[in-house]
Amino acid sequence: MKYFAVLLPMKDEEKSKEFRPAHLEFLARMKKEKKVVMFGRFADGAGGLVIYQGESLEDIESWVKQDPYVMNEARYYEIHEWDMVSE
């Protein structure tokens, strides 16, 4: 299993407010399915970060494109494979 850091920079603040509940529901579902490890917003309001786990970049991108923030153009996204160190 690989880890991927997904940055969600702010694109539209009003849309972000509008779609926040749906975004959080989506992430909760993905976490329950063990596709999301952790997530949170940046304290400065610039966006947020989601750590996904999956087999491939293609899998992760297909999931990210289902996020209400991305679907409704409230946020951009940027995906990076992440080599997590747990020590």
Side-chain angles (χ1 to χ4, degrees):
M1 194 69 61
K2 298 177 184 177
Y3 293 96
F4 297 83
V6 178
L7 300 170
L8 294 169
M10 185 68 66
K11 183 175 183 180
D12 185 313
E13 192 171 344
E14 287 305 312
K15 284 185 178 180
S16 289
K17 288 178 186 175
E18 179 182 352
F19 293 104
R20 182 172 170 76
H23 165 72
L24 293 176
E25 284 178 22
F26 168 77
L27 291 178
R29 187 178 82 245
M30 297 299 278
K31 190 167 184 177
K32 187 175 181 180
E33 294 175 11
K34 303 206 184 298
K35 294 175 181 174
V36 165
V37 177
M38 64 182 72
F39 57 90
R41 67 180 192 88
F42 297 131
D44 65 1
L49 172 71
V50 181
I51 305 296
Y52 283 86
Q53 62 181 0
E55 296 297 326
S56 69
L57 175 64
E58 293 78 19
D59 286 344
I60 303 308
E61 187 165 32
S62 72
W63 300 337
V64 170
K65 287 181 176 181
Q66 296 173 43
D67 186 326
Y69 272 172
V70 174
M71 289 174 54
N72 293 286
E73 300 184 0
R75 304 283 178 100
Y76 301 100
Y77 70 89
E78 186 178 315
I79 303 173
H80 300 273
E81 188 171 341
W82 185 46
D83 291 329
M84 183 173 69
V85 177
S86 61
E87 293 183 28

